[in-house]
Amino acid sequence: MPSAGPRQLAQRAAFGRRVRDIRLRQGLSQEDLANLSELDRSYVGGIERGERNVGLDNIYRLAEALGTDPVTLFTHLDDASDDGAIRISTERKKRA
């Protein structure tokens, strides 16, 4: 399998920042989120640091533990992105 490129790494980092932002707004620790989602605390930390390529089942677990739906974890990723590398848009780019 090919390794992750810069775009994939930026997407993971933005997703992790979004998860962290929602977790902190709810006053949860990483350990709380791990327990609620039945995931290992170090795995949750890896997600938040953008080190993990999170699978669909675990996205659903995180969303349920955070009291939200999976779509919410993907909205406003550009707001959570420090470097602006990820831009989520509802418009499709026109192909030349």
Side-chain angles (χ1 to χ4, degrees), residues 19 22-23 26 28 33 36 61-68 73:
V19 169
I22 295 169
R23 173 181 64 79
Q26 294 188 9
L28 297 173
L33 179 55
L36 290 168
R61 285 179 172 198
L62 290 167
E64 184 175 339
L66 291 167
T68 190
L73 299 178

Side-chain angles (χ1 to χ4, degrees), residues 35-46:
N35 289 333
L36 290 168
S37 62
E38 299 181 347
L39 297 171
D40 189 85
R41 187 204 50 78
S42 63
Y43 182 73
V44 171

Side-chain angles (χ1 to χ4, degrees), residues 5-81:
R7 180 172 174 79
Q8 288 79 21
L9 295 174
Q11 290 168 336
R12 293 174 191 175
F15 179 80
R17 285 189 295 273
R18 179 69 173 148
V19 169
R20 178 182 290 146
D21 180 57
I22 295 169
R23 173 181 64 79
L24 292 174
R25 287 180 191 202
Q26 294 188 9
L28 297 173
S29 68
Q30 282 184 353
E31 188 170 359
D32 293 334
L33 179 55
N35 289 333
L36 290 168
S37 62
E38 299 181 347
L39 297 171
D40 189 85
R41 187 204 50 78
S42 63
Y43 182 73
V44 171
I47 292 169
E48 290 187 357
R49 291 188 301 275
E51 299 170 353
R52 300 290 185 162
N53 184 15
V54 187
L56 183 61
D57 292 340
N58 290 337
I59 291 169
Y60 272 88
R61 285 179 172 198
L62 290 167
E64 184 175 339
L66 291 167
T68 190
D69 55 54
V71 172
T72 302
L73 299 178
F74 291 96
T75 56
H76 307 294
L77 287 185
D78 55 332
D79 295 341
S81 178

